[in-house]
Structure formats: C-alpha cells, structure tokens
C-alpha cells in the first residue's frame, strides 16, 4: 500500500511539473503572437550584464537586466532630488497624490495627522501599467540638470581658487556629466495607468515608449511637520530578459572578463527588445562584436 501511494505521488508530481511547463509555454507563445505591442532598440546602457559570479559557463543561461530610472524633482543640487540610479526605485515628480488616486489608492486621509501617517504606512503596493520612455524628454532633462550642476561647480571653484575641496567637487561634476552622456541608462518610467489603450493613445510611438507591468506604492516625503503624499516606483514585474542561445556568444566574453551591469569589458552591444500581448519582453535581435567579428 505504501509503495502504491509513493508511485501515485511520483506520478502526480511529474504530471504537475509537465502541466506547469505547458501553461508557461502557452503563455510565452501567446505573448509573442502577431506584431509586438512595442519594440525598443536598447544598448549596454539600458541592458545590464549580470555579474560574472552569476555566470557558470556554457551550461548557464544569460539574462540581461533592464536598467530603468525615474526622474525625481530637482531640489537644489542636481545630484539630490533630480538624480536616480538604475533599478533603484524612486519618487518621480509626476507620481503625485492625484495619480495615486487614479491608480486606485485611498488617498482620502490627510498626510499631516497621526491617523493619516498610519493609513499610508499600511497601504500595500499595487500593480500598475508603467510607461518606459527611451532617450526622450526625461533623459534630456536629466542631462540638462547635470550640465547645470557642472556650471554651478565651475562658478564655485572660480570663487574659491586653489581650494582642494572645490577642485574635487568640479572633478566629480565632470565625471557625473560624462557618465550621464555616455554610460547612464536613457530608459525612464514616465507615467502609469490602468488601461493599455489609454496609455498607448497618449504615447503612440511604439519605438520609444513601451508599456509594462510594475509596482507602485504610496510614500510620505518631506519633514515630519510638512509631509507630502507621493508615489514610489518599486520596480518592474519583469526586469530580466533571457538571452536566446543563438546570441549568447556576444555576451559570454564580457562575462568572463567581469560582467556587471556597467559592461566591465567595455564592448558595446545593441538589442531589439520586443514587448508582446502580455507586455512581457523578449530579445528579438542582438548586434555586437566578438573580437573583430561583427554579429549579426
């Protein structure tokens, strides 16, 4: 009887695995049916390599990380409210109380009362549709902020000639601008909503704007006496994209030399990333270099 039960358990387990895999494959196939909902051409700036410690050679899969950012409000220093690191989340200026209400959050409580603070602290994140913008107005604003920051540091050094502190500050500002111009991701979350059709009507360019799923949560910002309700972009529901086997040879040499999201090997690459019916991404094409060989 025990042996019979074990056989039944084993068969049921195998059947469950097969059924789960079948459902996943059907979902992938449906997502890729017909024309993509959008297609973005991303570079090493927007598609980060995994660290080499996560790569186990020929038998290991390779997944690239979507390097998205948010544009915060500019508060004094350009490296303060206006700067954001890739995939770190943040409070974009457009994600205000009215937008949170439109996304279904209960924002009826005043922020500056103990009851209001408790209310917002307990609110859980919600899934929403997020709009990703590639190399558009948000990136232009981020770039301009860095340029103004550099001008400010140049003026400060001119007023403090010979002072090491200000020389170092100017050096840092130049480096930050260089990174913004050549290295930082140009992919920004610029809006959120609940209906694909509404967002697509607002952002019709499918080669610049992709609609994806992600998480938003309320966040109280400011000082205790002047709290303001804002929204926090927690992340994308899918922010890693598997590299098809045919394109792995573009990335393996870089991984063997260090990898990491900032492409330690320094070789440029481009990938056409499609977003399908379920708004899930996949890599449709890749171009890069292996030594002197150009692919494709």
């Amino acid at each position: 009887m025990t042996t019979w039960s074990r056989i039944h358990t084993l068969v049921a387990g195998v059947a469950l695995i097969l059924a789960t895999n079948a459902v996943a494959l059907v979902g992938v196939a449906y997502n890729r049916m017909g024309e993509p909902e959008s297609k973005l051409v991303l570079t090493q700036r927007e598609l980060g390599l995994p660290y080499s410690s996560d790569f186990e050679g020929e038998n290991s899969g390779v997944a690239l990380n979507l390097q998205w950012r948010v544009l915060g409000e500019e508060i004094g220093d350009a490296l303060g409210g206006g700067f954001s690191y890739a995939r770190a989340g943040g409070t974009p200026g457009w994600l205000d109380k009215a937008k949170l209400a439109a996304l279904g959050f209960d924002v009826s409580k005043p922020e500056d009362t103990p009851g209001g603070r408790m209310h917002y602290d307990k609110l859980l994140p919600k899934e929403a549709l997020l709009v990703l913008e590639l190399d558009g107005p948000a990136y232009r604003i981020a770039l301009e902020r860095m340029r103004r920051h550099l001008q400010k540091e140049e003026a400060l050094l001119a007023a403090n000639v010979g002072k090491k502190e200000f020389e170092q500050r100017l050096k840092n500002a130049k480096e930050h601008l260089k990174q913004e111009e050549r290295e930082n991701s140009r992919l920004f979350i610029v809006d959120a909503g609940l209906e694909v059709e509404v967002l697509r009507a607002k952002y019709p360019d499918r080669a610049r704007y992709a609609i994806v799923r992600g998480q938003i949560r309320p966040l109280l910002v400011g000082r205790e006496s002047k709290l303001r309700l804002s929204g926090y972009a927690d992340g994308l529901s899918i922010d890693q994209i598997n590299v098809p086997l045919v394109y792995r040879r573009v990335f393996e040499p870089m991984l063997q030399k260090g990898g990491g999201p900032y492409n330690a090997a320094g070789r440029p690459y481009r990938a056409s990333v499609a977003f399908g019916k379920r708004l899930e991404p996949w890599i449709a094409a890749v171009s890069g270099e292996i030594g002197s060989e150009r692919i494709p």
Side-chain angles (χ1 to χ4, degrees):
M1 188 70 176
T2 302
T3 303
W4 180 253
S5 297
R6 287 176 178 171
I7 292 174
H8 275 75
T9 301
L10 178 61
V11 170
V14 171
L16 179 60
I17 292 172
L18 292 174
T20 302
N21 289 339
V23 170
L25 290 173
V26 169
V28 169
Y30 174 75
N31 183 58
R32 301 187 184 187
M33 284 177 58
E35 286 296 313
E37 206 285 327
S38 60
K39 185 180 286 186
L40 307 183
V41 177
L42 307 179
T43 71
Q44 69 278 359
R45 298 172 67 167
E46 292 81 40
L47 288 173
L49 291 167
Y51 288 101
S52 57
S53 59
D54 299 327
F55 179 67
E56 299 175 357
E58 294 183 1
N59 296 322
S60 174
V62 177
L64 303 181
N65 301 313
L66 275 171
Q67 302 286 102
W68 54 273
R69 300 166 62 188
V70 299
L71 186 69
E73 295 182 30
E74 190 171 20
I75 306 172
D77 195 324
L79 297 183
F83 184 80
S84 68
Y85 292 98
R87 304 179 79 210
T91 55
W94 53 265
L95 192 48
D96 56 14
K97 189 173 185 177
K99 176 64 75 172
L100 289 173
L103 294 174
F105 288 98
D106 177 6
V107 298
S108 60
K109 307 294 184 183
E111 300 98 300
D112 56 353
T113 65
R117 290 193 291 271
M118 185 178 298
H119 169 74
Y120 294 115
D121 286 342
K122 289 183 176 180
L123 288 181
L124 298 176
K126 288 182 181 289
E127 185 175 78
L129 300 175
L130 306 180
V131 178
L132 294 176
E133 177 187 84
L134 174 64
D135 195 10
Y139 174 63
R140 299 284 177 267
I141 293 172
L143 194 56
E144 181 58 30
R145 287 178 179 180
M146 283 299 174
R147 288 170 177 160
R148 288 203 303 269
H149 177 63
L150 175 59
Q151 292 171 353
K152 174 185 173 183
E153 294 303 326
E154 288 173 337
L156 284 172
L157 179 59
N160 295 273
V161 177
K163 293 187 178 181
K164 297 296 183 182
E165 174 192 350
F166 293 95
E167 290 176 355
Q168 185 62 48
R169 286 178 55 158
L170 179 59
K171 181 180 178 181
N172 292 343
K174 289 180 178 179
E175 182 60 27
H176 285 133
L177 177 58
K178 177 184 175 182
Q179 290 174 351
E180 193 65 75
E181 291 176 332
R182 304 180 187 180
E183 301 174 19
N184 291 350
S185 173
R186 299 161 298 169
L187 191 65
F188 284 77
I189 298 175
V190 296
D191 205 348
L194 298 176
E195 298 180 22
V196 174
E197 295 78 10
V198 173
L199 291 172
R200 184 51 71 195
K202 189 175 179 181
Y203 303 96
D205 188 346
R206 297 172 188 264
R208 187 177 298 278
Y209 296 97
I211 300 172
V212 299
R213 290 187 172 84
Q215 292 75 43
I216 297 290
R217 61 181 170 89
L219 182 69
L220 292 173
V221 297
R223 297 179 179 177
E224 192 71 18
S225 58
K226 292 188 76 172
L227 289 175
R228 175 174 58 85
L229 183 61
S230 182
Y232 190 91
D234 262 336
L236 311 185
S237 297
I238 298 177
D239 65 358
Q240 289 189 322
I241 312 175
N242 290 323
V243 177
L245 185 61
V246 66
Y247 299 125
R248 273 184 44 175
R249 60 189 182 133
V250 174
F251 303 101
E252 285 174 352
M254 303 179 219
L255 291 167
Q256 291 164 358
K257 291 186 178 181
Y262 299 104
N263 187 14
R267 291 176 175 167
Y269 52 86
R270 295 160 62 90
S272 177
V273 177
F275 298 80
K277 291 183 178 296
R278 299 185 0 163
L279 309 180
E280 296 173 359
W282 77 91
I283 292 176
V286 170
S287 63
E289 294 182 0
I290 302 177
S292 60
E293 181 185 358
R294 184 78 184 169
I295 296 177

